[in-house]
Amino acid sequence: MFSIAASGEEEKMNLGKWKYAVLTGLAIFSLAGCGGQGQEAAGDQGHVPEGQSGAAPAQIKIALDWSPNTNHTGLYVAKDQGYYQQEGLNAEIVQPGAGGAEAMVASGDVDFAVSYQEVVSQARTQGVPIVSIAAVIQHNTSGFASPAFKNIKTPKDFEGKTYGGYGSPTELALLQSVMQFDHADAGKVKIVNTGEGDFFTSMKRDIDFALIYYGWTGIEAELRKEPLNIVYLNHYSDSLDFYTPVLITSEKMIKEKPEIVKAFMAATSKGYQYAIEKPEEAAQILLKAAPDLDRDLVFASQKWLSPRYQDDAPRWGEQKKSVWENYAKWMYEHHLLEKPLDTDAAFTNEFLPDGK
């Protein structure tokens, strides 16, 4: 999500601009040999289980989508608790390179990464061989947020208001779609680019509403005692209940090292299951790995997010074909994909361990 020591929404805007750059400039993915190494993220090397012996563990690298946050907790838990070592892996968590985590996976600079369904869909339709292997969160938690005192409760209420965003075609298509579902006119919304502006500061000064993830900015608003009204995307269409974020790897890894992919998913699944069952302990592990994060926000965000990792799915990470098909159809209809997506090639549940 962002560098949480600074303003959460400021970094969300940075992330939004980065996603826009990826979605509108996917030529970077074709530069298979030019990914570049990211910098190692702060974190513990993990506890090697007692009595472990045998062959040296396989080295793997995992690229984040942004700075450490509660979307990544399961990765840090798996590292800290020795789950990767138990599966014969020595995992390094790194920051994304300048071209993005997807380019690093496509080029082979890292083995796995955190990404988004929209980016994977765009990449696949442009011939980039990345594959989603797990949904980090089962349901889309994003929505258009506004301070409660502005009384913006429905998409119809967006008319005559000012929206602050980062200018992504996807972002604007989401706004138009939600308003269309409510028979509202998106042409009556003033749209401004807030760049790196902080959500809370911008709301007091420049804009009336913005797109946020409730699991971070919404929780921050609760802590600040600044109530929000949220128009959630997935309340208006099943097509907008897409996976964000997801874990990805490359077709090459799946073909040549399926045992590594299986081991990675076994350990990572244990990490997220730990975070589901023990949110406070998981928050402590994340803070140990990234001590500059806001402690109260991490604990509150983790408490809110932990039950939503798996939610109503039969196991953590499970992905539905219908979710991929619905969102891909929506993206294609809104000219966000160059051609229809082959959803069967875009994701797999093959490497997930059996759920509870």
Side-chain angles (χ1 to χ4, degrees), residues 129-162:
I130 58 176
V131 181
S132 175
I133 53 176
V136 174
I137 305 170
Q138 268 301 305
H139 295 285
N140 188 353
T141 66
S142 65
F144 293 106
S146 59
F149 70 84
K150 291 182 181 285
N151 203 34
I152 302 173
K153 297 180 179 180
T154 71
K156 184 69 174 177
D157 296 330
F158 295 167
E159 293 182 348
K161 303 298 191 300
T162 300

Side-chain angles (χ1 to χ4, degrees), residues 46-279:
H47 307 302
V48 179
E50 292 184 10
Q52 180 171 315
S53 60
Q59 301 289 326
I60 64 168
K61 285 188 177 182
I62 309 160
L64 303 181
D65 53 329
W66 205 252
S67 302
N69 61 79
T70 48
N71 282 348
H72 311 137
T73 305
L75 300 170
Y76 283 102
V77 168
K79 184 176 176 71
D80 180 84
Q81 296 295 295
Y83 298 155
Y84 290 125
Q85 288 89 339
Q86 291 171 11
E87 295 294 333
L89 304 175
N90 185 19
E92 180 184 4
I93 300 174
V94 303
Q95 294 291 320
E102 295 80 7
M104 297 172 75
V105 169
S107 67
D109 283 345
V110 299
D111 306 291
F112 307 96
V114 180
S115 185
Y116 312 87
Q117 183 176 338
E118 62 186 286
V119 179
V120 174
S121 299
Q122 185 79 291
R124 294 289 315 183
T125 57
Q126 296 193 10
V128 181
I130 58 176
V131 181
S132 175
I133 53 176
V136 174
I137 305 170
Q138 268 301 305
H139 295 285
N140 188 353
T141 66
S142 65
F144 293 106
S146 59
F149 70 84
K150 291 182 181 285
N151 203 34
I152 302 173
K153 297 180 179 180
T154 71
K156 184 69 174 177
D157 296 330
F158 295 167
E159 293 182 348
K161 303 298 191 300
T162 300
Y163 172 76
Y166 44 89
S168 160
T170 300
E171 171 195 32
L172 298 181
L174 290 170
L175 177 62
Q176 292 167 355
S177 288
V178 169
M179 293 190 71
Q180 184 177 22
F181 288 128
D182 202 29
H183 306 290
D185 184 359
K188 296 181 179 180
V189 177
K190 179 181 179 181
I191 298 174
V192 299
N193 191 328
T194 52
E196 299 179 3
D198 169 61
F199 171 81
F200 297 97
T201 302
S202 295
M203 285 296 167
K204 292 182 175 69
R205 185 180 59 201
D206 304 316
I207 64 176
D208 297 305
F209 68 109
L211 185 64
I212 69 166
Y213 285 95
Y214 193 86
W216 194 262
T217 306
I219 298 301
E220 183 179 0
E222 290 183 12
L223 295 176
R224 294 166 64 120
K225 300 187 184 306
E226 297 185 24
L228 301 178
N229 286 326
I230 312 286
V231 173
Y232 289 101
L233 299 180
N234 59 13
H235 287 187
Y236 285 85
S237 172
D238 289 341
S239 297
L240 302 184
D241 195 14
F242 49 88
Y243 297 124
T244 175
V246 297
L247 298 180
I248 64 170
T249 191
S250 65
E251 288 185 355
K252 184 177 181 180
M253 277 290 293
I254 289 174
K255 180 179 179 180
E256 297 181 2
K257 299 180 180 179
E259 72 286 352
I260 298 295
V261 182
K262 184 176 181 180
F264 169 75
M265 286 310 306
T268 302
S269 295
K270 288 181 68 175
Y272 278 98
Q273 193 61 45
Y274 181 106
I276 290 167
E277 297 173 356
K278 302 177 181 179

Side-chain angles (χ1 to χ4, degrees), residues 219-354:
I219 298 301
E220 183 179 0
E222 290 183 12
L223 295 176
R224 294 166 64 120
K225 300 187 184 306
E226 297 185 24
L228 301 178
N229 286 326
I230 312 286
V231 173
Y232 289 101
L233 299 180
N234 59 13
H235 287 187
Y236 285 85
S237 172
D238 289 341
S239 297
L240 302 184
D241 195 14
F242 49 88
Y243 297 124
T244 175
V246 297
L247 298 180
I248 64 170
T249 191
S250 65
E251 288 185 355
K252 184 177 181 180
M253 277 290 293
I254 289 174
K255 180 179 179 180
E256 297 181 2
K257 299 180 180 179
E259 72 286 352
I260 298 295
V261 182
K262 184 176 181 180
F264 169 75
M265 286 310 306
T268 302
S269 295
K270 288 181 68 175
Y272 278 98
Q273 193 61 45
Y274 181 106
I276 290 167
E277 297 173 356
K278 302 177 181 179
E280 290 189 2
E281 292 89 337
Q284 291 276 20
I285 290 171
L286 176 60
L287 284 165
K288 181 169 68 171
D292 289 339
L293 305 185
D294 183 304
R295 181 181 179 84
D296 291 341
L297 188 49
V298 167
F299 271 91
S301 174
Q302 193 65 63
K303 181 179 179 180
W304 187 88
L305 190 57
S306 283
R308 290 171 172 81
Y309 288 136
Q310 181 174 337
D311 206 289
D312 55 0
R315 56 184 169 172
W316 173 83
E318 185 87 13
Q319 300 174 85
K320 294 180 181 179
K321 184 175 182 178
S322 60
V323 173
W324 281 86
E325 289 179 335
N326 289 342
Y327 191 50
K329 180 181 179 182
W330 179 89
M331 291 185 73
Y332 184 69
E333 289 174 347
H334 288 81
H335 310 292
L336 300 171
L337 295 180
E338 294 183 349
K339 60 183 179 180
L341 175 68
D342 179 359
T343 55
D344 288 331
F347 81 98
T348 181
N349 291 316
E350 175 185 356
F351 300 100
L352 291 173
D354 292 336

